[in-house]
C-alpha cells in the first residue's frame, strides 16, 4: 500500500502520477518543476493551464540568490513553507512585515491593508531581490505601483494572490506591467486561485534548481 | 475599484461573492462558516461539495478550547496561518513536532515520514484536544491507528491532507473510522485536495465561533 513507501519515494510517486494524468504539456525544463510543484501542493491541475512564467524567471531568481539578495513575502505562511536549509545556503534574508507593529498601526490610521504598507516597507530595502505574494491582491497592486512610480526593480516577482476581490485583477495588472517592462521576470497565474502554499511551492522548486547550480559551500 | 475597499470590507465582499456564485446549499449555521472560509482561502468551490463535517465538530472544538486543551498540527504553515490573538484567548498550547530534531532522527533511522513520528509524539500528551492535519496523509493514517490501537481520543480532527499518494485514501479511512466511533468529531473532505492553508482557514472559522461564545476575559 502506498503509505508504506519511504518518504523520498512518496514525492517521486506523486510527480509520476501528476505527469501521467496531465499528459503532454509545453512547459520547458526550468518552468515545469515550478508548475509540477504547484500542482503537487494543491492537487489542482488548473495550474498546468493557468500559470504564466517568464523566460528568465528562474534564472533571475538564481542570480538574486547568488547575489545575496533577500526574499520578501506577504505572509508568514510562505516563510513557514519555504525550505530553510536551501535558503540558508545562499544566506538569503527573509522578511515579512505584515505583522510589524508599526505597519499595523499605520494601516489602521490610513484605513488600508497591512499588506500595502508591508510591501512599501520591504521595497525601501534595495537588498530585497525576490518578492513573493501568495495572499493579498493589495500587496501585488502596491508592488506594481512601486515598480511604475518609484523605480523598484525586483529580480523576480512570484505573484500568486488568491481570492474573490482583486486577486485575478492584480495578476492581470502584473502581466500588463510586463508590456512596459519587458525585462520584468515573474511567476504568476491567471484567475482567482493561488495562495501561500502555492507561492511557497514555487519558491521551493526554484530553490532546488538554485542549489543544483550552486553546491553548498 | 475593489482594491480601494477597506480591509474589513474586502472579506465581507468576498463572502458575498462566494454566496452569490454558489447559490443554495445545505450546510448549517455552524458548518457553513468553515466551508465558506475554505473556499475563500483557495478560491475553489469544490470544497462546497467535498467537505464532510460531523454534527458536533464545531461544538467539540469549542469544548476543547474552553477546557484549555492544545492544538497539534502537522505543519508549521498551519500554525502560521491560524489567528493567534483568538487562540490566545483560550490559552491553547500549539504544537508541531515535524521539525523536532529527535523526530527527524528517528524518522531517518526507521525510514518513515517525520509526520508519523510527530503525530505519535503529539498523541502522547493527553492535553492535546484538536489535531489539525493539512499536509501529510501519513500523519492522518497514524492518528487513525492511534485512535484504534492506543485509545487516543481527539476532541476534533481537522483532516485535510493534500496530494496524490494516500491523501484521498487517508480521508476515506477517517470517514470509515467514524463508523466504529460514532462520537468522533471531524472536518475533512473527499478527494486529493486540501492543504495547510485550508486547514488553517477551517481552524480560523472555528475560532471565530469559539470567541463568539466566550467573550475575551
Amino acid at each position: 500500500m502506498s503509505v508504506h513507501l519511504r518518504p523520498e519515494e512518496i514525492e517521486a510517486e506523486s510527480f509520476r502520477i501528476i505527469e501521467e494524468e496531465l499528459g503532454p504539456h509545453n512547459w520547458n525544463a526550468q518552468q515545469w518543476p515550478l508548475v509540477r510543484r504547484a500542482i503537487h501542493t494543491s492537487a489542482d491541475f488548473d495550474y498546468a493551464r493557468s500559470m504564466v512564467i517568464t523566460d528568465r524567471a528562474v534564472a533571475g531568481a538564481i542570480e538574486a540568490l547568488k547575489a545575496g539578495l533577500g526574499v520578501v513575502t506577504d505572509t508568514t505562511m510562505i516563510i513557514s513553507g519555504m525550505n530553510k536549509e536551501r535558503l540558508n545556503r545562499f544566506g538569503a534574508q527573509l522578511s515579512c512585515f505584515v505583522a510589524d507593529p508599526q505597519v499595523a498601526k499605520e494601516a489602521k490610521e490610513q484605513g488600508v491593508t497591512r499588506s500595502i504598507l508591508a510591501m512599501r516597507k520591504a521595497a525601501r530595502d534595495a537588498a530585497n531581490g525576490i518578492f513573493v505574494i501568495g495572499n493579498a491582491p493589495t500587496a501585488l497592486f502596491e508592488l506594481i505601483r512601486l515598480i511604475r512610480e518609484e523605480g523598484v526593480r525586483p529580480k523576480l516577482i512570484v505573484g500568486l494572490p488568491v481570492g474573490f476581490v482583486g486577486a485575478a485583477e492584480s495578476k492581470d495588472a502584473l502581466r500588463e506591467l510586463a508590456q512596459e517592462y519587458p525585462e520584468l521576470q515573474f511567476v504568476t497565474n491567471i484567475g482567482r486561485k493561488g495562495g501561500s502554499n502555492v507561492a511557497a511551492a514555487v519558491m521551493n522548486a526554484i530553490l532546488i534548481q538554485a542549489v543544483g547550480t550552486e553546491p553548498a559551500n
Side-chain angles (χ1 to χ4, degrees), chain A:
Chain A
M1 189 181 162
S2 54
V3 290
H4 296 302
L5 293 172
R6 296 178 66 89
E8 61 275 20
E9 293 168 335
I10 294 175
E11 184 171 280
E13 174 65 6
S14 299
F15 288 169
R16 194 195 62 72
I17 293 169
I18 290 169
E19 292 178 0
E20 180 180 280
E21 293 192 17
L22 180 64
H25 61 78
N26 293 316
W27 298 107
N28 70 30
Q30 283 75 49
Q31 295 167 330
W32 173 239
L34 282 57
V35 177
R36 185 175 59 182
R37 203 165 276 275
I39 297 169
H40 177 254
T41 204
S42 63
D44 191 336
F45 282 100
D46 277 5
Y47 290 103
R49 290 169 291 272
S50 66
M51 285 184 78
V52 180
I53 305 175
T54 56
D55 287 342
R56 296 197 73 261
V58 174
I62 293 174
E63 284 164 17
L65 290 166
K66 288 189 178 177
L69 298 181
V71 179
V72 175
T73 70
D74 74 327
T75 67
T76 57
M77 281 188 88
I78 298 174
I79 290 182
S80 289
M82 280 191 288
N83 185 301
K84 303 305 175 306
E85 185 263 331
R86 293 199 179 98
L87 273 167
N88 288 342
R89 295 205 201 186
F90 300 97
Q93 174 79 41
L94 277 172
S95 318
C96 177
F97 295 112
V98 79
D100 182 281
Q102 186 64 22
V103 161
K105 182 171 169 284
E106 289 177 25
K108 198 161 190 177
E109 286 166 3
Q110 298 176 33
V112 299
T113 71
R114 292 183 299 160
S115 301
I116 290 177
L117 296 180
M119 227 9 77
R120 209 172 287 171
K121 186 177 169 96
R124 271 186 226 122
D125 186 346
N128 285 327
I130 300 176
F131 287 71
V132 189
I133 298 170
N135 180 51
T138 54
L140 184 52
F141 275 122
E142 178 63 16
L143 181 58
I144 291 168
R145 190 194 68 75
L146 288 162
I147 291 168
R148 206 173 256 140
E149 298 180 10
E150 303 194 17
V152 173
R153 291 291 177 268
K155 298 288 186 192
L156 176 73
I157 301 170
V158 177
L160 290 163
V162 61
F164 295 86
V165 177
E169 294 83 350
S170 71
K171 292 179 277 193
D172 292 345
L174 175 63
R175 298 197 314 285
E176 283 161 25
L177 184 73
Q179 310 287 319
E180 295 167 51
Y181 300 93
E183 76 281 14
L184 197 71
Q185 302 302 323
F186 56 83
V187 178
T188 186
N189 72 328
I190 296 171
R192 290 168 167 175
K193 288 182 181 176
S196 295
N197 54 336
V198 181
V202 163
M203 282 303 298
N204 286 335
I206 289 172
L207 285 165
I208 289 168
Q209 295 187 58
V211 168
T213 67
E214 175 90 319
N217 50 20

